[in-house]
Amino acid sequence: MTTFEAIPISQIDKGAAYITAGDGKAYPLDADELRRAFDAIVRDDSHGMITTGEAAQILGVSAKTVARILDAGEIPFVRYGAKGNRMVSRSEVIAYRDRSESHSRKALEDMRAAASEGGLNGIDYAAYLAHFS
């Protein structure tokens, strides 16, 4: 079990993840702790079905992007209500997010390897960009 130590929010690095109790103290989170906290929050749903707006928040994209993902068949959905609003399974959204993040990490690793194999790591970008000034 992890012991959390509170520190003043002013000591948190910009862009770092943390939880606060509203008293000016922050509890810094590493990537694993952040993922576990996020998963605990998004799992707190008794029905398991969420709106496309909630899915957009989980995925960090717009509702229109979620609609495109659903229309492409990437995440199954059901329509309900008189307006035919779409609902998706929270677990399906999280699984899609995890697949997407895994795919992105793999693509970045492949690009880094290709750059290294192609000798692109030693390029003097300042000199290259100076040609365009």
Side-chain angles (χ1 to χ4, degrees), residues 9-117:
I9 289 178
S10 61
Q11 293 180 6
I12 298 289
D13 293 332
K14 184 176 181 178
Y18 65 91
I19 294 175
T20 183
D23 61 356
K25 299 280 187 181
Y27 299 86
L29 301 174
D30 64 26
D32 185 51
E33 292 165 339
L34 177 62
R35 171 66 66 196
R36 287 195 318 250
F38 184 78
D39 286 345
I41 292 167
V42 297
R43 259 190 250 131
D44 186 27
D45 184 273
S46 60
H47 301 292
M49 298 299 282
I50 59 174
T51 65
T52 55
E54 291 169 314
Q57 288 179 334
I58 291 170
L59 297 174
V61 299
S62 71
K64 280 195 170 277
T65 298
V66 170
R68 286 191 286 270
I69 291 168
L70 299 181
D71 291 341
E74 298 289 328
I75 300 174
F77 65 91
V78 295
R79 289 192 180 270
Y80 90 102
K83 293 183 180 181
N85 294 333
R86 294 192 255 200
M87 298 293 287
V88 294
S89 162
R90 182 182 304 275
S91 61
E92 290 284 344
V93 172
I94 292 170
Y96 175 85
R97 180 200 62 201
D98 292 345
R99 284 191 311 271
S100 179
E101 288 174 357
S102 175
H103 176 73
S104 296
R105 278 192 299 275
K106 173 76 170 104
L108 183 57
E109 289 170 13
D110 291 347
M111 286 186 278
R112 285 181 178 144
S116 180
E117 290 170 8

